[in-house]
Amino acid sequence: MAAFSFRRLGLFILAAALLAVGHPAQAAFETGATHVYITDFDTGAVLYDKGGEERIPTASMSKMMTAYVVFDQLKKGKLKLDDELTVSENAWRTGGSKMFVVLGAKIKVEDLIRGMVIQSGNDACVVLAEGIAGSTDSFIHMMNEMAPAMGLKDSHFASVDGLPDPDHYMTARDLATLGERLIKDFPEYYHYFSELDFTYHGIKQGNRNPLLYKNSGADGIKTGHTDEAGFGLTVSVKRGDRHIIMVATGLKSMKGRSQEAEAIVDFAFREFQNYPIVKKGDELDQADVFLGEKNKVPLVATQDLQVTLPRSARKDMKVSVSYDAPLQAPVAAGTVVGTLTVTAPDMAPQTVPLATAGDVARLGPMGRMSKGLEALIWKRKS
């Protein structure tokens, strides 16, 4: 992207859109889901929020947290994919959706991961939990210890598989955050969430994520269903240069989940757009320097700047650049001297530091005297 240039000093207005880490104006959309939360993966912008901060039962979507702890153990070298874990009677007797583990069998960790993620096996979760922590209670403690540090603001786990428990809950916002963390923190393991099927003990089961079977751009993450929670889905979808995380819960049927999830995702890509404006290091202005060996120094953006907003709202975004001028020599490269401020309706102002892109030494005594005489002459002429 070509560098921006501005006139000297003061307040400069750029008719464009920029970094949006808040809530853009929420476009109107009707959905039968009881809770919906959509974020842009790259900018963090919240595209839609329907009850996103309310505690909800999450059913098997909470298996994402179980997977997170397992992946963390793998990354730290405390567990290996080809390690074998033994199936206890507790794991074998676990109800709900199953991988259909065999009592006393030794199963590779990688197969258990596929059983947990693809087949949504509650039994696979218990084998992993017991093998890693010694018991499901100890593993649940690990889950609850890790959650706050990951940015899960209102989540508490009481099971490793998401089976109903009054003390087991998350929010749609936390589910979206958890999905993002899985993708960012464990790219080497995230691929399991996109695999379409897995066969264990002669039983082939398909991934329950309906958007993986459509031309939707989905690459994961996890479904869930109980009578209490209804049908839900946390999904990651990429189309072109955009990437969103969408959570929808409380739907009434498997078919309804599939249709509604597709409609919500289409809405997010249709109504919103990312607008890259500047890159880190782009020159935004040339600032005057008083008593410097150079008269000016470039000011540059200190980070990439991008916005996600409703297509219809772009015209309402404004960006202002401000700094005190002239700068006083000496000036050191990398000195933050100003800010770029982004404003838009329904969004808190965002600021980005502007820094000098070069050194400017102070003039010596003779140079300063010459500048002083020059200023005096111009003052008299005016």
Side-chain angles (χ1 to χ4, degrees), residues 182-343:
L182 279 166
I183 296 168
K184 292 177 180 178
D185 296 349
F186 305 113
E188 65 271 47
Y189 304 124
Y190 178 68
H191 66 89
Y192 296 113
F193 290 96
S194 67
E195 295 181 14
L196 294 181
D197 57 64
F198 177 60
T199 302
Y200 176 74
H201 202 57
I203 301 172
K204 181 179 179 179
Q205 298 186 64
N207 196 313
R208 289 162 168 76
N209 184 342
L211 296 192
L212 291 177
Y213 302 94
K214 303 181 180 184
N215 186 27
S216 66
D219 63 8
I221 303 176
K222 192 70 188 74
T223 60
H225 169 250
T226 62
D227 290 342
E228 181 187 21
F231 289 82
L233 171 65
T234 299
V235 66
S236 162
V237 184
K238 297 178 181 178
R239 294 183 186 176
D241 60 356
R242 291 192 59 206
H243 184 182
I244 68 165
I245 303 291
M246 187 278 288
V247 179
T249 69
L251 292 157
K252 295 181 180 180
S253 68
M254 189 178 295
K255 181 179 180 180
R257 174 173 63 191
S258 176
Q259 294 175 338
E260 195 70 8
E262 188 173 24
I264 295 169
V265 167
D266 286 345
F267 153 78
F269 282 100
R270 180 181 67 249
E271 297 296 332
F272 293 84
Q273 182 61 48
N274 287 359
Y275 299 97
I277 305 300
V278 295
K279 297 289 187 181
K280 180 180 179 179
D282 275 351
E283 183 179 316
L284 299 179
D285 196 21
Q286 289 272 338
D288 291 338
V289 180
F290 181 62
L291 297 182
E293 290 185 352
K294 298 177 183 177
N295 291 328
K296 294 180 179 293
V297 64
L299 300 185
V300 298
T302 58
Q303 65 188 59
D304 293 350
L305 304 173
Q306 184 173 228
V307 68
T308 306
L309 71 161
R311 295 174 188 272
S312 61
R314 185 184 182 187
K315 64 183 182 299
D316 298 321
M317 293 286 289
K318 292 184 178 180
V319 178
S320 62
V321 174
S322 62
Y323 59 93
D324 292 330
L327 305 181
Q328 302 294 314
V331 175
T335 302
V336 173
V337 296
T339 57
L340 186 150
T341 302
V342 185
T343 58

